[in-house]
C-alpha cells in the first residue's frame, strides 16, 4: 500500500508554487511593504505590561468585541442611518476580523466556492486572489490592465458579462503597480457586477482615498483593510466591512478564536496610540515622494507614480534581474517582479523605508547601474 501525492492531492494544488519569501538575513529590507519603524521605545513598557497580564491559558474573546468596536470607529465604518426616506436608505453595515486580510479573502472564497464559480481581478495584481481561488477549487479570471496600469474598462465589462464572477477584487491602490483605479470606473463595475466587489484597501494609510464612506450604498460593495502595512504586519489582523447580510454569512465559516489574544491586546493598544502610527505613515508618504524623484532621475528607469508605500519601476536599459542581484550583493533586498512576466517584465518593486534606507538604496543603485 502506498499513498501517492499524484493521486491524493488535487491537480491545481500540485501546480501551485508555494509562496516563497526570501530570507533577508541582515539586509536592508525593502521587499515586503512593511512599515520600517518599530514600536517606539516610549510605548514598549506599557505594551509589555499588557502582554504580561494577557491570560494565554484562556481562549480569547471569540468575537474580539472590544477590538472590533475600536476598529469600526478608527476605520470609520459608516454607521447605519435609519433615514425615513426609503429611496436613500443605506444598508446596515457590519465587520468581520481575519488573521490578516488574506484569511478574509479565503473566507469569502470558501463561502461562494462551487463548481463553475469564478474570482475576477485585474492583472498584474495581488497574487493571493489567484492562489486562494485554486485553494478552494474556483476558477480565476485575470483581466489585463492597460499600459499605464489603469483599468481596461471594455475588457473588464466584457469579462464580467461573460464570466459572471462571484467575487471581484480591486486593490485600491493596486499591488504591485501602486496606482489607484479611477473612482467612476469602480462605480461602473459596482453597478454592472452581479457578484460581490471587494475594494482591498491594504495601503489605506498611504492612499488618502477610500470607498469606506460609500459602504451601504451598494448591495455588493465590501471594503477590506489590514493593519499590516501601517506597522503591525506581525500581528496578522485584517478587517472586512460591508452590508450585514453578507458579513453574517462569512462569519459562519470563520474559525473560532481566529484572532489570538496577543493580537487583540496589542491591536487595542496600538489603536489607543494611533497617532504614532499615523505620524510614521506621514513620514513614509513624504519619503515616497523623495524616492520617486531620486528613482525618476535615473534615465534607465520608467518609474510609476504610487499611492502606496512602494514604488514600481521598469528597467528600460539594462537588466532588472542583474540590478536586483547587484542590490542584494550590496545589502539591499527589494522585490524582483520580472519573474512574474507579462507587463511586469523588467520590473522591480521597492518598498519605501526609513530615510537612511532609501538613501542606501539610491547609493547602491548608482553603484549597480553606474
Ligand atoms: C499586503 C496585501 C494584503 C495582505 O494583507 P495581510 O493583512 O497582511 O494578509 C492584502 N491585499 C493586498 C493588495 C496587499 O498588498
Amino acid at each position: 500500500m502506498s499513498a501517492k501525492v499524484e493521486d491524493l492531492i488535487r491537480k491545481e494544488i500540485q501546480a501551485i508554487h508555494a509562496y516563497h519569501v526570501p530570507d533577508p538575513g541582515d539586509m536592508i529590507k525593502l521587499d515586503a511593504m512593511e512599515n520600517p519603524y518599530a514600536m517606539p521605545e516610549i510605548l514598549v513598557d506599557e505594551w509589555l505590561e499588557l502582554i504580561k497580564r494577557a491570560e494565554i491559558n484562556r481562549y480569547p474573546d471569540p468575537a474580539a468585541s472590544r477590538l472590533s468596536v475600536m476598529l469600526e470607529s478608527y476605520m470609520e465604518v459608516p454607521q447605519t442611518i435609519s433615514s425615513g426616506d426609503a429611496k436613500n436608505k443605506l444598508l446596515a453595515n457590519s465587520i468581520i476580523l481575519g488573521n490578516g486580510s488574506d484569511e478574509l479573502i479565503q473566507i469569502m472564497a470558501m463561502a461562494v466556492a462551487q463548481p463553475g464559480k469564478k474570482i475576477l481581478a485585474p492583472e498584474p495584481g495581488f497574487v493571493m486572489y489567484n492562489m486562494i481561488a485554486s485553494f478552494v477549487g474556483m476558477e480565476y479570471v485575470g483581466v489585463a490592465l492597460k499600459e499605464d496600469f489603469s483599468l481596461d474598462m471594455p475588457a473588464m465589462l466584457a469579462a464580467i458579462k461573460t464570466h459572471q464572477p462571484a467575487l471581484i477584487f480591486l486593490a485600491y491602490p493596486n499591488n504591485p503597480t501602486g496606482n489607484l483605479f479611477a473612482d467612476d470606473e469602480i462605480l461602473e463595475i459596482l453597478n454592472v457586477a452581479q457578484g460581490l466587489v471587494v475594494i482591498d484597501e491594504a495601503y489605506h494609510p498611504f492612499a488618502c482615498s477610500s470607498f469606506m464612506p460609500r459602504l451601504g450604498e451598494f448591495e455588493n460593495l465590501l471594503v477590506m483593510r489590514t493593519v499590516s502595512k501601517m506597522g503591525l504586519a506581525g500581528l496578522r489582523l485584517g478587517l472586512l466591512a460591508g452590508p450585514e447580510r453578507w458579513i453574517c454569512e462569512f462569519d459562519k465559516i470563520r474559525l473560532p478564536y481566529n484572532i489570538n489574544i496577543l493580537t487583540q491586546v496589542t491591536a487595542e493598544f496600538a489603536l489607543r496610540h494611533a497617532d504614532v502610527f499615523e505620524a510614521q505613515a506621514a513620514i513614509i508618504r513624504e519619503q515616497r515622494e523623495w524616492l520617486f524623484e531620486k528613482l525618476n532621475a535615473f534615465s534607465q528607469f520608467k518609474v510609476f507614480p504610487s499611492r502606496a508605500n512602494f514604488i514600481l519601476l521598469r528597467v528600460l536599459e539594462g537588466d532588472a534581474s542583474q540590478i536586483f542581484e547587484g542590490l542584494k550583493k550590496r545589502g539591499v533586498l527589494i522585490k524582483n517582479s520580472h519573474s512574474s512576466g507579462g507587463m511586469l517584465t523588467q520590473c522591480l518593486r521597492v518598498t519605501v523605508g526609513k530615510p537612511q534606507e532609501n538613501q542606501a538604496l539610491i547609493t547602491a543603485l548608482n553603484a549597480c547601474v553606474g
Side-chain angles (χ1 to χ4, degrees):
M1 296 297 108
S2 69
K4 289 208 184 74
V5 165
E6 303 86 89
D7 296 339
L8 284 178
I9 304 296
R10 287 188 278 133
K11 289 268 175 306
E12 60 268 32
I13 303 301
Q14 290 186 50
I16 294 171
H17 300 283
Y19 194 80
H20 174 68
V21 182
D23 177 8
D26 52 9
M27 276 191 280
I28 295 177
K29 207 170 172 310
L30 302 179
D31 65 325
M33 283 82 121
E34 292 147 333
N35 176 337
Y37 297 101
M39 190 182 295
E41 280 300 324
I42 51 160
L43 295 184
V44 169
D45 283 344
E46 194 186 335
W47 173 46
L48 289 180
E49 221 24 70
L50 294 168
I51 294 290
K52 236 192 253 174
R53 293 208 301 265
E55 292 188 276
I56 57 166
N57 55 318
R58 307 285 180 198
Y59 282 108
D61 173 359
S65 323
R66 205 168 39 197
L67 175 57
S68 293
V69 169
M70 290 177 80
L71 279 169
E72 255 179 308
S73 148
Y74 179 66
M75 300 209 174
E76 297 179 342
V77 178
Q79 297 294 306
T80 312
I81 304 159
S82 47
S83 90
D85 181 358
K87 216 174 78 205
N88 293 321
K89 206 157 181 238
L90 296 170
L91 301 162
N93 292 312
S94 185
I95 65 166
I96 175 175
L97 306 187
N99 188 334
S101 42
D102 289 346
E103 189 190 35
L104 295 167
I105 302 169
Q106 187 186 46
I107 286 175
M108 285 185 271
M110 284 195 293
V112 302
Q114 286 186 68
K117 295 280 181 187
K118 296 171 186 177
I119 290 179
L120 183 145
E123 289 278 333
F126 185 46
V127 290
M128 291 311 290
Y129 308 144
N130 190 350
M131 290 185 73
I132 287 172
S134 298
F135 297 169
V136 300
M138 289 177 81
E139 212 178 296
Y140 175 80
V141 180
V143 180
L145 292 170
K146 294 201 289 196
E147 266 309 285
D148 63 356
F149 297 134
S150 62
L151 289 171
D152 182 343
M153 282 306 280
M156 282 295 282
L157 296 177
I160 290 169
K161 200 165 165 210
T162 307
H163 298 283
Q164 290 297 330
L167 284 172
I168 298 173
F169 286 100
L170 298 171
Y172 184 84
N174 190 39
N175 171 12
T177 59
N179 57 313
L180 287 174
F181 299 134
D183 286 6
D184 58 335
E185 294 176 344
I186 295 179
L187 291 175
E188 194 175 350
I189 291 169
L190 275 163
N191 278 317
V192 302
Q194 292 182 30
L196 292 169
V197 179
V198 183
I199 309 299
D200 180 351
E201 299 188 348
Y203 299 96
H204 178 256
F206 318 103
C208 305
S209 195
S210 173
F211 271 73
M212 194 67 95
R214 297 179 193 267
L215 214 58
E217 287 176 29
F218 299 85
E219 295 274 353
N220 57 347
L221 170 63
L222 297 163
V223 173
M224 194 165 62
R225 297 269 184 91
T226 176
V227 301
S228 293
K229 313 298 163 39
M230 70 176 254
L232 301 166
L235 291 189
R236 308 307 299 130
L237 178 66
L239 168 147
L240 180 70
E244 217 164 28
R245 58 180 77 148
W246 300 113
I247 302 294
C248 282
E249 298 301 316
F250 297 144
D251 203 44
K252 294 177 190 170
I253 52 173
R254 181 177 62 85
L255 292 175
Y257 315 116
N258 65 328
I259 311 300
N260 74 70
I261 190 161
L262 301 180
T263 295
Q264 292 189 29
V265 165
T266 306
E268 288 168 18
F269 172 73
L271 289 174
R272 287 197 294 274
H273 297 281
D275 54 327
V276 170
F277 295 89
E278 279 160 17
Q280 292 174 348
I283 298 172
I284 293 166
R285 290 194 302 266
E286 274 173 31
Q287 279 293 301
R288 174 183 69 200
E289 302 316 310
W290 182 89
L291 192 55
F292 181 87
E293 293 306 323
K294 293 287 175 186
L295 292 169
N296 215 19
F298 287 85
S299 60
Q300 326 49 355
F301 301 157
K302 175 174 175 55
V303 188
F304 295 95
S306 168
R307 296 286 292 268
N309 64 340
F310 59 86
I311 296 176
L312 186 77
L313 64 89
R314 184 176 292 131
V315 179
L316 303 173
E317 282 166 56
D319 181 65
S321 297
Q322 232 164 44
I323 293 173
F324 171 77
E325 291 300 333
L327 288 176
K328 225 163 117 179
K329 230 182 293 167
R330 291 168 177 83
V332 182
L333 182 64
I334 63 166
K335 166 90 177 168
N336 184 1
S337 300
H338 175 69
S339 49
S340 303
M343 294 169 88
L344 296 178
T345 301
Q346 293 301 338
C347 283
L348 298 170
R349 191 190 66 194
V350 299
T351 302
V352 180
K354 295 178 187 171
Q356 61 272 32
E357 294 175 326
N358 302 329
Q359 182 58 62
L361 167 70
I362 296 300
T363 306
L365 267 177
N366 269 310
C368 290
V369 304

